[in-house]
Amino acid sequence: MFPTVNRAGFVVHVKAGIIIFVIVLVFMLPGSVRAQKRIHTAFFEGTDYELNVYRIYGKEPGKTLLLIGGIQGDEQGGYLSVDHYADISLAQGNLIVVPRANFRSIVAKRRKINEDMNRKFAEDPKSNYETKIVAILKKLISESDFLLNLHDGSGFYSEKWEGPNRNPKRYGQSIIADVDIYVDPKTGKTIRLGDMARFVSQEINKNIKNPRNHFHFNNHQTKEIASLHKEQRKSATYYALYTYGIPAFGIESSKALPLEQKIRHHNLAINAFMDYLGIVPETPGINLERPALNYLVVSINDSLPVVVKNRQSLSINAGDTIMISHIESNYKRGLTADIVGYGTVSDIFKKIRITGPTKIIVRKDYYACGRINIKMRGGGKKIAVDVAVSDQQKSGSGMLLYKVIINGEERIFENEEHVKLVKGDKFEIVDVINYIGDTSDLIVNLKGYVGDPDNNTGEDRGYVINTSRDLWKSYSLEKRGKYYQMIVENNGDIIGKLFFDLEDPVLKYIVLGTENGELRGLTPGDTVLVDADKPWKLFDINTNVVRNAGVKAFIAGSGFVRRPVDIGKPMAINNIANSEADKASCRYRLEIERDKIFLGSVTLNCSQETHNEK
């Protein structure tokens, strides 16, 4: 497929014969022609990996900053932030904006499809769609003065170990560079990336009240032999710095933060770098409205198109071909229409033959924002007259979404989705979100739970449910206490369901160490020798529980009461024993539990030789 160029309101469909001309137009326009221009280029249009590039030129010349978002599709904060800059106007300087570098992985909400796209900038013998995208990105890098690659990273970066979620190996809330100071061997120019990142971090942090969420410079020292991040030698930032000698940074907001906060922090970083480069905006804007489909424009058997609104049904004959030519939504970018069971993840502009009932799911990135049912009318001629559009038959159903708070975190689930829980999780069914009708008359009933035993109405919204003790096993699906269902009723009709899949908490391993940095990973049932007088620390507990919510550690022995153990806090065996007899036995258990559910333990023994010397 060849790109479509939208320039100053005009759309040019690129033919094979003029493809070279258009590429030269996009990449080689002189500054006097480009002034006050906006160019939109769609590469690989109509494929699942369509790449949209927006070039914005300021009224006055200046530096060119390249923004890349969504190179890994499960990092929403980055690409939703970059998307805000596709419509910006500039008084000075230029932007090249790539909101969704890996659109296919964004729709799938996965880090990668075939390969990690951010590991394909070095020499790469493999050929796939990621290779094609990276070739375009490399060209854009060559046309830029500066690169920001926007990501969402794990935990919180810290120069020192503060805990399993805040340490030097985490990425969140950091500005990453491949080196502190770089001297370009071609030009002799010195680039002080560390100074740039520290300055921008200070500017960002002025607008972040919680110091625990402040940004810091994260030097990966990627080229060094001792680097912990050698895989970054294949990344976009490394390629930009070491191939073209341009400053390049990875901006990492923490995945632990709410989505709106991640977007805001990314925007603060972009704005601070723009200010540093002298790129002056005219029209900033942020849109965090919930995505919603208004209607689709659909053509059947090449006839005149019809408009089908969200939640309506389209009745056709078996064997008809349909083509979706337009998606009208409250967003312009990141939209796909998926005819379930046919075509691919993005079926817009494709003629597809339909042989049975199905539905069209419209997504904004990965989020399903609309649905249209396709029904069969039976036999008949394939003519436009046989097409019918109708509303849903059951009133009050609409597009159901469910707001649920799990361990204090609010989440939204789609109808009939499966919610993964671990025994000991606490959750509250807050409400049903219905875009058509009022939800106050609906009955939301979690089978196997009674919120008010004295007045059991079947309505279970608003109760905090402890999965380790509040659910009745006999009412679970398959009667094993593993799967529970919530049903939504309207006037006795079941209009929606949500499923809760419950698994047992599992202790995978713990990490023990000493203050001098010695670390050891231990699995349940292991025994480790320790020095009774030397302080040791519990550095990490690894379980299948999200963020280890409710997971606690205790030290236990034959001669004293169990005591809690805090992660990262030093503790010496002899300091916790209550008597000389306790010290003599020198055998203890480090026990891990969650909400009184025992997960496992490891045994701490004093080294016999060391103990006899004391």
Side-chain angles (χ1 to χ4, degrees):
M1 299 295 293
F2 297 109
T4 296
V5 179
N6 184 336
R7 184 182 62 191
F10 295 97
V11 178
V12 180
H13 293 283
V14 182
K15 306 295 184 181
I18 60 171
I19 180 70
I20 296 176
F21 167 76
V22 172
I23 289 179
V24 172
L25 175 67
V26 172
F27 290 113
M28 303 298 292
L29 278 173
S32 60
V33 178
R34 296 182 305 184
Q36 304 182 51
K37 294 288 185 180
R38 181 188 307 274
I39 299 176
H40 168 213
T41 309
F43 296 92
F44 318 114
E45 188 176 24
T47 68
D48 294 342
Y49 49 90
E50 182 174 306
L51 178 69
N52 288 277
V53 178
Y54 303 85
R55 300 174 67 93
I56 301 108
Y57 301 99
K59 295 178 180 178
E60 299 295 332
K63 298 287 187 181
T64 298
L65 170 62
L66 171 59
L67 303 176
I68 298 177
I71 203 167
Q72 291 154 341
D74 60 348
E75 299 174 2
Q76 304 99 297
Y79 64 75
L80 291 176
S81 170
V82 175
D83 191 65
H84 294 148
Y85 294 81
D87 296 323
I88 201 171
S89 295
L90 297 175
Q92 183 173 350
N94 314 302
L95 288 178
I96 302 175
V97 182
V98 186
R100 296 169 178 83
N102 198 344
F103 190 44
R104 187 172 176 184
S105 74
I106 287 173
V107 174
K109 202 179 181 182
R110 290 165 51 186
R111 179 182 177 89
K112 62 181 182 179
I113 299 298
N114 299 308
E115 298 176 272
D116 189 333
M117 189 179 286
N118 202 33
R119 301 294 183 268
K120 288 182 67 66
F121 285 80
E123 292 186 8
D124 182 16
K126 296 183 179 179
S127 179
N128 43 42
Y129 87 85
E130 290 95 337
T131 308
K132 299 176 183 179
I133 298 295
V134 168
I136 301 297
L137 296 179
K138 285 182 175 180
K139 179 62 177 173
L140 296 175
I141 289 171
S142 73
E143 296 293 319
S144 304
D145 300 308
F146 213 95
L147 166 65
L148 297 182
N149 199 358
L150 285 296
H151 296 269
D152 297 344
S154 62
F156 297 83
Y157 169 77
S158 172
E159 290 185 353
K160 298 180 180 179
W161 181 283
E162 297 182 44
N165 202 39
R166 192 180 294 270
N167 59 64
K169 291 187 178 181
R170 297 299 186 180
Y171 288 75
Q173 303 305 98
S174 73
I175 300 178
I176 297 174
D178 295 290
V179 67
D180 190 350
I181 299 175
Y182 175 73
V183 179
D184 190 337
K186 300 175 184 177
T187 64
K189 179 181 178 181
T190 299
I191 303 176
R192 300 185 180 277
L193 291 99
D195 288 347
M196 294 180 193
R198 294 183 190 97
F199 171 81
V200 168
S201 294
Q202 291 177 358
E203 294 301 304
I204 298 171
N205 295 338
K206 292 176 183 178
N207 297 285
I208 300 177
K209 293 182 180 180
N210 186 351
R212 299 286 283 174
N213 293 340
H214 279 181
F215 274 73
H216 303 278
F217 172 49
N218 185 353
N219 182 8
H220 274 189
Q221 305 178 68
T222 312
K223 204 170 187 179
E224 300 298 322
I225 296 176
S227 173
L228 298 175
H229 307 283
K230 296 183 179 66
E231 75 283 356
Q232 297 288 348
R233 295 172 187 173
K234 302 177 182 180
S235 69
T237 55
Y238 190 92
Y239 175 84
L241 180 64
Y242 285 94
T243 302
Y244 291 103
I246 68 171
F249 297 89
I251 311 298
E252 300 270 356
S253 65
S254 175
K255 291 182 178 180
L257 297 177
L259 179 58
E260 292 186 12
Q261 197 168 343
K262 285 187 285 191
I263 296 171
R264 177 175 178 269
H265 289 180
H266 276 306
N267 288 358
L268 289 172
I270 294 172
N271 293 344
F273 272 109
M274 287 175 61
D275 185 64
Y276 180 86
L277 294 170
I279 299 174
V280 182
E282 280 191 338
T283 56
I286 295 179
N287 183 5
L288 296 179
E289 185 180 357
R290 184 185 298 279
L293 170 68
N294 294 328
Y295 59 82
L296 294 182
V297 178
V298 183
S299 177
I300 295 88
N301 301 326
D302 295 320
S303 64
L304 291 175
V306 295
V307 173
V308 189
K309 295 180 180 179
N310 186 30
R311 301 299 297 177
Q312 286 186 323
S313 293
L314 178 65
S315 296
I316 63 175
N317 296 312
D320 283 347
T321 61
I322 70 173
M323 186 182 75
I324 303 164
S325 58
H326 179 71
I327 303 173
E328 184 65 26
S329 169
N330 57 342
Y331 284 83
K332 295 187 295 183
R333 293 181 293 276
L335 298 171
T336 59
D338 178 15
I339 304 175
V340 177
Y342 299 84
T344 61
V345 295
S346 181
D347 296 325
I348 191 168
F349 298 122
K350 298 176 182 177
K351 292 183 181 180
I352 295 178
R353 184 172 179 268
I354 307 298
T355 58
T358 183
K359 57 188 174 183
I360 302 173
I361 300 295
V362 177
R363 293 183 176 89
K364 163 70 167 65
D365 301 318
Y366 66 90
Y367 179 86
C369 62
R371 184 180 74 182
I372 289 171
N373 292 323
I374 297 179
K375 299 179 179 181
M376 295 294 104
R377 296 177 60 121
K381 297 180 180 180
K382 300 175 185 177
I383 57 177
V385 177
D386 286 333
V387 177
V389 177
S390 61
D391 292 320
Q392 295 284 343
Q393 291 182 351
K394 286 187 178 181
S395 61
S397 58
M399 183 184 5
L400 293 180
L401 299 173
Y402 306 104
K403 182 186 294 186
V404 181
I405 296 177
I406 302 175
N407 298 327
E409 180 183 352
E410 183 179 291
R411 298 178 61 185
I412 303 295
F413 297 97
E414 296 179 24
N415 193 35
E416 298 190 358
E417 190 171 347
H418 284 253
V419 181
K420 305 295 184 182
L421 297 174
V422 178
K423 189 175 292 185
D425 282 345
K426 297 176 182 178
F427 73 96
E428 175 189 350
I429 303 166
V430 179
D431 206 357
V432 178
I433 302 171
N434 184 324
Y435 290 109
I436 292 180
D438 182 13
T439 64
S440 61
D441 293 332
L442 303 179
I443 299 296
V444 180
N445 181 217
L446 176 62
K447 298 297 183 180
Y449 173 76
V450 177
D452 185 355
D454 296 328
N455 183 26
N456 184 14
T457 63
E459 174 57 55
D460 294 324
R461 281 177 284 189
Y463 296 97
V464 177
I465 302 165
N466 188 323
T467 56
S468 66
R469 55 175 179 262
D470 291 344
L471 299 176
W472 297 1
K473 182 177 179 180
S474 59
Y475 283 85
S476 65
L477 300 174
E478 301 181 359
K479 312 297 183 185
R480 294 186 300 165
K482 296 292 185 182
Y483 308 102
Y484 293 83
Q485 65 173 330
M486 180 194 82
I487 64 172
V488 180
E489 295 182 79
N490 183 26
N491 296 323
D493 292 327
I494 296 177
I495 63 170
K497 291 183 179 182
L498 187 64
F499 298 94
F500 295 91
D501 300 348
L502 191 61
E503 62 178 313
D504 292 327
V506 175
L507 173 63
K508 299 177 181 178
Y509 63 85
I510 66 171
V511 178
L512 287 181
T514 59
E515 290 189 312
N516 63 8
E518 297 178 12
L519 298 177
R520 185 166 181 180
L522 302 167
T523 57
D526 283 350
T527 298
V528 62
L529 297 178
V530 297
D531 187 320
D533 288 321
K534 184 180 293 185
W536 55 271
K537 291 182 182 179
L538 174 61
F539 280 91
D540 194 10
I541 304 172
N542 191 280
T543 69
N544 62 339
V545 179
V546 177
R547 289 193 292 277
N548 278 341
V551 175
K552 297 179 181 179
F554 298 88
I555 187 77
S558 59
F560 68 94
V561 179
R562 295 169 80 225
R563 298 184 182 183
V565 176
D566 297 325
I567 289 180
K569 184 176 181 180
M571 179 177 290
I573 293 293
N574 278 343
N575 291 342
I576 61 176
N578 292 333
S579 65
E580 291 301 321
D582 294 340
K583 294 180 180 180
S585 67
C586 203
R587 184 178 177 87
Y588 303 91
R589 293 186 313 280
L590 184 62
E591 300 177 345
I592 311 298
E593 67 176 42
R594 188 193 195 209
D595 198 29
K596 299 184 179 180
I597 301 173
F598 179 74
L599 306 188
S601 67
V602 299
T603 299
L604 310 180
N605 279 350
C606 295
S607 168
Q608 192 63 43
E609 180 179 347
T610 303
H611 187 59
N612 290 337
E613 292 176 355
K614 299 300 180 183

